[in-house]
Amino acid sequence: MKLIFEQGAPGRTGIRLPDADVPEQDIEQLIPPEYLRRNSPRLPEVSEVEAVRHFVGLSQLNYGVDNGFYPLGSCTMKYNPKINEEIANLDGFRDVHPYQSESTVQGCLELLYQMDRYLSEITGMSKFSLQPAAGAQGELTGLMMIKAYHEHRSEGHRTRIIVPDSSHGTNPASAQMAGLEILEIKSNQRGRIDLDELKENLDERLAGIMLTNPNTLGLFEYDIREIADLVHQAGGLLYNDGANANAILGITTPGAMGFDVIHLNLHKSFAAPHGGGGPGSGPVGVKEHLAPFLPKPVVKLKEGRYYLDYDRPLSIGRVKAFYGNFSVVVKACAYILAMGPKGLRQVAEDAVLNANYLMQRLKGSYELPYNQVCKHEFVLSGRRQKERGVSTEDIAKRLLDYGYHPPTIYFPLIVKEALMIEPTETESLDTLDKFIETMLKIAREVEQEPETVKKAPHTTVVGRLDGVKAARKPVLRWKLEA
Ligand SMILES: *Cc1c(COP(=O)(O)O)cnc(C)c1O
């Protein structure tokens, strides 16, 4: 593809500017000489049609949920209903300023207040803060509250956080940032917490445990109540990484499981668009005993007026400017209201059904390390293909040729050659069947023509990139060559 800088011709233009209304001889006097440009900038000289084609062309290189199936495990790339965008774009939401007085933004405060109530009901918690801008920031906020809770009870020696080896990478990273000591414990053969190993590590150093349920293998932790009792008896608290709530919406709650603090990802389970570093929202919810530690301010209601309460002496403080990513909260609120309790439960049922359907149809051709009923996602292993010299990365690249976004690969770390697949509830049986056919076809290609898979992708604009170099030495803008 030709970049815009490489198109056009001298003198070509797509715009007509009005004549300057400052006499040219005055300019020298009005602008200090060091700010006067003596040479023209080397900008592309293109016509309107060239500019439009350039940008539309770029937009078409992007792949998103609106283009096709995107089974990126643990990321919940579900369809984002467009009505949510329209609602977030209403003047009263879009044009408000965070420094406006409370009396002029009653509607926005009401929305934040109501979202706290909705999310509390959905998760079985008591109170939410909508400040954190992402799941990972929600984790950090939650862990800071756990720390503050222990310190407040003169138990500041509790600084150890238990994290299972199947956890999302952000969990240990957040614990580290919160200044906690991380103790990783191994999963058992069924992909769940090993209760014996847990028991061995419950002592007076325990601050808490971070769990994802269903975990990143897509498996439900059936012992969760027992785990919660053990941890509580040992004086610790339970943190739930609730980034992926799809599987449990309307069926059970982290509150009922015994968690003290959780975060949700509105930009996953609650249909706000994400990816590409776009805005997220990772609200944190707590049970009553942790509510005083929530970030401030919190929205309160008194005599029919909403107001921001800053008078919270035990609060860990602010974690984000103003009220978090407000527009993302608006989109999630629209989604929750449109779905209603029944709709949210249907989300969970369909997400789990879709995942199990894919898993059953794929497990003959790809190894399934944990062969059990899954929740919203499941993890295959490309080990069988790897023995033939074709890696999971090759398989992922080959999927690009067939027009799919690949699943999450090489995660969770406890599965070799992992392929983590999350279809979500918004895909039709047709789409699932087509994807299955493609995955089975690739499995056959690995047997019959492995080189085709190893050299994939063949049909994309760029071939195989050096992923490490792209991360370490990113080239983020086009540079004019000498
Ligand atoms: C996505 C995810 C996170 C992190 O959320 P971000 O918004 O990307 O920070 C944490 N845990 C799990 C299980 C996730 O899937």
Side-chain angles (χ1 to χ4, degrees), residues 217-413:
L217 294 164
L219 302 175
F220 194 81
E221 200 73 67
Y222 291 107
D223 293 329
I224 186 61
R225 289 304 301 254
E226 193 178 342
I227 294 170
D229 289 344
L230 287 170
V231 170
H232 284 145
Q233 278 155 23
L237 295 177
L238 284 92
Y239 184 94
N240 176 222
D241 178 340
N244 312 122
N246 249 22
I248 60 165
L249 290 174
I251 292 177
T252 183
T253 68
M257 294 175 205
F259 286 103
D260 302 281
V261 47
I262 79 161
H263 84 263
L264 294 169
N265 275 32
L266 298 186
H267 50 291
K268 287 180 184 169
S269 322
F270 297 91
H274 64 128
S281 178
V284 169
V286 292
K287 293 250 177 82
E288 213 51 68
H289 52 284
L290 283 173
F293 302 93
L294 280 169
K296 63 181 177 183
V298 295
V299 183
K300 284 199 173 161
L301 176 63
K302 192 175 169 188
E303 289 157 12
R305 306 294 290 173
Y306 295 94
Y307 70 101
L308 294 165
D309 180 13
Y310 288 88
D311 184 19
R312 302 181 63 78
L314 294 182
S315 165
I316 59 163
R318 232 184 222 298
V319 297
K320 174 93 173 74
F322 302 116
Y323 319 113
N325 282 329
F326 181 66
S327 71
V328 183
V329 179
V330 176
K331 291 174 205 180
C333 182
Y335 177 73
I336 289 170
L337 288 173
M339 299 303 280
K342 276 202 193 123
L344 290 179
R345 189 185 166 98
Q346 186 82 45
V347 164
E349 288 173 354
D350 292 350
V352 171
L353 181 64
N354 281 357
N356 278 283
Y357 178 68
L358 277 187
M359 183 179 81
Q360 289 302 328
R361 299 252 345 246
L362 292 177
K363 73 178 190 187
S365 303
Y366 297 87
E367 203 177 306
L368 177 64
Y370 301 94
N371 190 0
Q372 307 158 43
V373 171
C374 68
K375 289 291 176 265
H376 59 295
E377 65 191 5
F378 60 98
V379 181
L380 297 172
S381 166
R383 245 179 313 205
R384 203 179 294 165
Q385 285 72 21
K386 180 77 178 176
E387 276 163 23
R388 296 187 158 265
V390 179
S391 70
T392 284
E393 182 175 13
D394 299 332
I395 294 167
K397 297 294 183 198
R398 186 65 176 143
L399 275 168
L400 299 177
D401 283 335
Y402 292 112
Y404 290 105
H405 193 291
T408 298
I409 57 173
Y410 301 113
F411 176 78
L413 304 175

Side-chain angles (χ1 to χ4, degrees), residues 74 134-136 139 168 170-171 212 216 241 243-244 263 265 267-268:
S74 201
E139 292 170 24
H168 195 268
T170 50
N171 291 189
T212 309
T216 61
D241 178 340
N244 312 122
H263 84 263
N265 275 32
H267 50 291
K268 287 180 184 169

Side-chain angles (χ1 to χ4, degrees), residues 172-200:
S174 302
Q176 178 86 29
M177 280 188 77
L180 294 163
E181 176 210 339
I182 299 145
L183 181 78
E184 187 178 280
I185 59 168
K186 287 207 169 47
S187 306
N188 64 19
Q189 283 185 333
R190 290 179 53 76
R192 297 181 173 84
I193 297 282
D194 190 320
L195 285 183
D196 291 329
E197 192 173 341
L198 176 67
K199 283 179 196 158
E200 278 165 28

